[in-house]
Amino acid sequence: MKQKKARKLVEEKLPKKRYEHSIRVAETALKMADIFDGDKDIVEMAGILHDYAKYDELSKLYQAVTKYNLDNDLLSYNSEILHGPVAAAYMMDKHEIDSEIYNAIYYHTTGRAGMGLNEKIIFISDYIEPGRTQPGVDDIRKIVFEEKNLDKAIYEISKRTALYLIENDKPIYPKTIECLNYYNLQK
Ligand code: DGI
Ligand code: FE
Ligand code: FE
């Protein structure tokens, strides 16, 4: 699929604010690809598409898990983690995306152990794009753009996510924990 078409798909599907977030993730990912030698075409495409299923109805997300044979365990956690895997599977089915774009979209909600470079770039860009204002986000920006340590940035993001989930009595998906442990050792 051409990039222009991807932008159009997302612009027509998502509310304006979420479309703009997607574009900022793509732009941040491009900037990171330049610094860390990622693949610009892959990260730009993944950034544009990553939240495509963000506002799908729960019933539709559940149906997609069955249709695309996705990990059934995904259903036992917050519905928030589903939109990555579902968007990835849908795009692969309908638009034959590259497998690296697929992984970057699939794992952007939870992360995982041993992510590829372009996958890492999307996971981090989603958290630090300029529209994000969560407490401590500037610390992560510094780890990326000053320390240039992607693995440490992933660890810090995973740690904040895990702390938030525990604090709010939300169940933690195994891949989220695996990501936390893996990048704790890598950083
Ligand atoms: O879609 P965005 O708002 O841009 O951001 P996101 O795709 O990173 O959001 C992922 C959401 O999923 C975020 O609210 C945290 C949540 N999440 C991540 N890992 C887990 C999780 N929720 C549960 N219950 N368990 C997890 O392991
Ligand atoms: Fe998302
Ligand atoms: Fe996002």
Side-chain angles (χ1 to χ4, degrees):
M1 170 166 49
K2 293 269 193 321
Q3 214 204 92
K4 207 173 150 197
K5 182 169 174 196
R7 281 178 195 260
K8 190 159 173 278
L9 278 180
V10 173
E11 190 170 19
E12 283 169 0
K13 174 103 189 275
L14 297 177
K16 190 160 180 281
K17 284 220 145 51
R18 184 56 54 171
Y19 171 68
E20 289 167 355
H21 158 74
S22 307
I23 298 303
R24 288 193 301 268
V25 171
E27 285 168 358
T28 306
L30 272 178
K31 190 172 154 190
M32 285 177 65
D34 203 26
I35 298 170
F36 299 98
D37 215 16
D39 185 309
K40 292 191 178 172
D41 291 331
I42 286 175
V43 299
E44 190 168 20
M45 197 66 163
I48 293 166
L49 295 173
H50 80 285
D51 273 340
Y52 183 78
K54 178 85 180 171
Y55 299 111
D56 284 5
E57 277 179 36
L58 204 49
S59 61
K60 206 178 156 198
L61 291 169
Y62 277 42
Q63 279 168 23
V65 170
T66 308
K67 177 173 178 193
Y68 296 122
N69 264 310
L70 302 174
D71 179 9
N72 263 300
D73 285 355
L74 286 165
L75 302 173
S76 310
Y77 300 85
N78 187 342
S79 61
E80 272 284 286
I81 69 173
L82 273 172
H83 71 271
V86 169
Y90 175 85
M91 288 299 161
M92 184 59 98
D93 182 33
K94 305 285 182 202
H95 303 287
E96 287 183 36
I97 51 171
D98 176 281
S99 68
E100 284 199 67
I101 300 175
Y102 176 90
N103 283 338
I105 300 173
Y106 192 108
Y107 294 106
H108 91 265
T109 53
T110 60
R112 63 163 168 161
M115 287 190 276
L117 174 62
N118 298 312
E119 223 176 315
K120 290 182 188 181
I121 288 176
I122 291 302
F123 182 80
I124 297 169
S125 299
D126 192 23
Y127 198 87
I128 65 169
E129 61 91 346
R132 297 293 205 188
T133 56
Q134 63 278 45
V137 66
D138 274 335
D139 297 337
I140 314 270
R141 290 181 179 125
K142 281 190 192 129
I143 293 167
V144 175
F145 295 113
E146 290 173 27
E147 293 181 38
K148 299 194 167 42
N149 188 339
L150 296 184
D151 291 344
K152 186 173 167 191
I154 294 167
Y155 173 66
E156 290 296 332
I157 294 168
S158 293
K159 187 169 85 181
R160 283 164 169 74
T161 302
L163 285 169
Y164 158 82
L165 293 169
I166 291 169
E167 206 49 64
N168 290 279
D169 299 313
K170 296 198 191 282
I172 307 182
Y173 183 62
K175 289 219 174 345
T176 301
I177 299 275
E178 285 166 22
C179 182
L180 178 75
N181 286 333
Y182 182 91
Y183 288 100
N184 188 2
L185 294 173
Q186 281 302 309
K187 73 183 187 297

